[in-house]
Amino acid sequence: IFGDVQFSTASRELENAGFALGQTDLYGTANNGDRLNALFELVLEYDGNTPVADLERLWVGYTYSDALIVRLGKHHSAYGYWAKTFHHGAQLYTTIGRPFFLAFEDEGGIVPAHVTGLELEGNLPTSLARIKYEVQLGNGSSVVTGPEGAGELDQQPTGDDNANKLVIARLSARPVAIPNIWVGIFGSYVEAMARSDDPLLTSFVRYTDAPQAIAGAALSYLGNQWEFIAEYLHMRNSIDGLNDYANEDGETVLAADSRDTSNDAFYLQLGRTLHDNYTPYVRYEELRMDESDAYMLDLNQSNRRQWLAGVRYDLQANSCLKFQYRNDRSEGRMTGAGPVSDQTFDVFECQWAFSF
């Protein structure tokens, strides 16, 4: 079980200062012999003030050898380093939260954090490095927008709204000479779709079969009391035949150009553990997007940068306190609903994270 409780001043996520319950993560694994295994992860959280239960992961796997492990079910997607290394428990990572562009689908992330389908994984040791490959084939995420135009990614765990599948691949290595270093490259391809759940909109499908390619690289070093993590991704969207949303009066709700667009996102994180239980840390993260990108506009994204600094204090192995300041800035942009102004938030927050 993982859980956390936190306090934050007013921020992009919270209109007023206050306390908040984080996710309660119920996590379990099972093995039947040396080859057959399974994983289950259920998260209890709040959508506004409404409690909800999300089945975050459920898969069954079979190990044929170190070079081939086959899993079928719902997985965390193999983008970069953070998505596969740190799961839903805040106790697992140094900072209070994830990089904003790697947030979970219902919290504003720009790439799917989960994929339902097939996963292949294997380790290929060599004299220079231990190499690992991961390949995932599953349902693609759709962008679902609501009455105000802002949307989120739909994981589609029970079926796909089109025949196009998401393919993700990651290749990583740990050098034999420096095993504390991890380096990886990754990429994905899907033909994306956006639709509306607003019954007042006469055009429900905004675009379909829109090619989206993502490529990136990540690096981490964890050793000698130091933590350094860096990750970069490049997203290219090609959206043709764009359908503008129209209300009952025929007015455009959200408009964007129909063309190829490119977006870039990255973060750098550095931490140093002192006296075994204090870890001061800093992180910088940034999203640079094409302001005519329909995919990014539907996700309510804008050019944004954030830096944060804090300290984590480990009460014991499975419980910690975190104190953090972050400066969150986003640039204004034009939308079909009107202009959005620049926004800046100076946020002070603290968190008690734990696991049992």
Side-chain angles (χ1 to χ4, degrees):
I1 299 176
F2 292 88
D4 67 270
V5 182
Q6 68 182 60
F7 173 84
S8 173
T9 59
S11 65
R12 188 182 304 274
E13 299 79 17
L14 295 173
E15 184 177 356
N16 300 301
F19 295 90
L21 295 177
Q23 296 180 332
T24 301
D25 186 15
L26 308 178
Y27 175 98
T29 60
N31 296 284
N32 189 343
D34 296 331
R35 296 184 180 273
L36 185 65
N37 55 40
L39 181 144
F40 163 87
E41 186 174 21
L42 178 70
V43 167
L44 308 176
E45 57 186 342
Y46 283 88
D47 183 2
N49 288 316
T50 303
V52 296
D54 285 337
L55 185 60
E56 300 292 350
R57 287 187 292 167
L58 176 65
W59 54 253
V60 60
Y62 190 84
T63 302
Y64 286 92
S65 67
D66 285 346
L68 179 60
I69 302 171
V70 179
R71 301 188 183 102
L72 193 64
K74 185 178 180 181
H75 322 270
H76 279 154
S77 55
Y79 288 106
Y81 177 82
W82 193 287
K84 279 287 242 179
T85 304
F86 302 121
H87 305 304
H88 291 265
Q91 165 69 16
L92 297 172
Y93 41 87
T94 303
T95 56
I96 285 181
R98 302 161 68 91
F100 68 82
F101 60 87
L102 295 179
F104 294 114
E105 294 91 342
D106 56 355
E107 297 176 353
I110 66 172
V111 295
H114 303 83
V115 57
T116 299
L118 175 68
E119 179 179 70
L120 304 178
E121 177 184 310
N123 293 288
L124 307 171
T126 69
S127 59
L128 297 178
R130 184 173 181 83
I131 298 172
K132 181 177 182 178
Y133 72 87
E134 294 154 283
V135 179
Q136 297 173 327
L137 173 67
N139 297 337
S141 295
S142 288
V143 180
V144 180
T145 61
E148 297 181 358
E152 64 182 46
L153 292 172
D154 181 0
Q155 303 174 21
Q156 302 197 114
T158 60
D160 205 339
D161 56 14
N162 61 32
N164 303 313
K165 295 295 171 277
L166 170 65
V167 179
I168 306 174
R170 185 175 79 164
L171 185 66
S172 60
R174 289 189 180 275
V176 173
I178 317 174
N180 293 328
I181 287 182
W182 179 96
V183 60
I185 56 175
F186 58 93
S188 71
Y189 180 83
V190 70
E191 295 189 2
M193 177 178 179
R195 67 183 192 277
S196 173
D197 278 349
D198 182 3
L200 297 179
L201 297 179
T202 57
S203 297
F204 287 95
V205 177
R206 182 161 166 73
Y207 54 81
T208 186
D209 300 336
Q212 180 186 85
I214 296 175
L219 170 71
S220 75
Y221 175 82
L222 304 174
N224 299 319
Q225 310 299 315
W226 286 96
E227 171 189 82
F228 175 74
I229 309 171
E231 190 167 341
Y232 164 80
L233 68 84
H234 174 79
M235 175 189 293
R236 185 173 181 83
N237 294 314
S238 301
I239 300 176
D240 295 316
L242 186 65
N243 299 316
D244 294 332
Y245 291 152
N247 61 22
E248 292 178 326
D249 298 325
E251 298 171 332
T252 298
V253 174
L254 183 63
D257 293 338
S258 175
R259 62 187 183 88
D260 292 348
T261 55
S262 294
N263 309 281
D264 297 280
F266 72 93
Y267 72 86
L268 301 166
Q269 179 172 311
L270 179 66
R272 171 82 158 113
T273 300
L274 306 172
H275 306 295
D276 295 329
N277 52 3
Y278 289 93
T279 305
Y281 60 84
V282 294
R283 186 170 74 208
Y284 179 80
E285 52 202 72
E286 183 171 346
L287 169 64
R288 302 299 298 179
M289 59 168 274
D290 188 316
E291 294 185 0
S292 66
D293 189 317
Y295 174 89
M296 300 296 283
L297 292 175
D298 284 348
L299 290 176
N300 199 33
Q301 298 294 331
S302 59
N303 289 317
R304 181 179 171 190
R305 61 184 63 89
Q306 180 171 260
W307 70 267
L308 56 89
V311 62
R312 168 178 169 144
Y313 172 66
D314 288 298
L315 296 167
Q316 55 187 52
N318 61 348
S319 181
C320 68
L321 298 174
K322 306 175 190 178
F323 303 91
Q324 181 174 288
Y325 164 79
R326 58 186 171 97
N327 178 266
D328 180 0
R329 298 184 180 185
S330 60
E331 297 178 6
R333 58 180 173 80
M334 181 61 67
T335 72
V340 175
S341 61
D342 294 358
Q343 291 182 304
T344 300
F345 298 92
D346 291 298
V347 186
F348 295 89
E349 51 200 343
C350 57
Q351 180 188 72
W352 190 346
F354 53 87
S355 62
F356 292 97

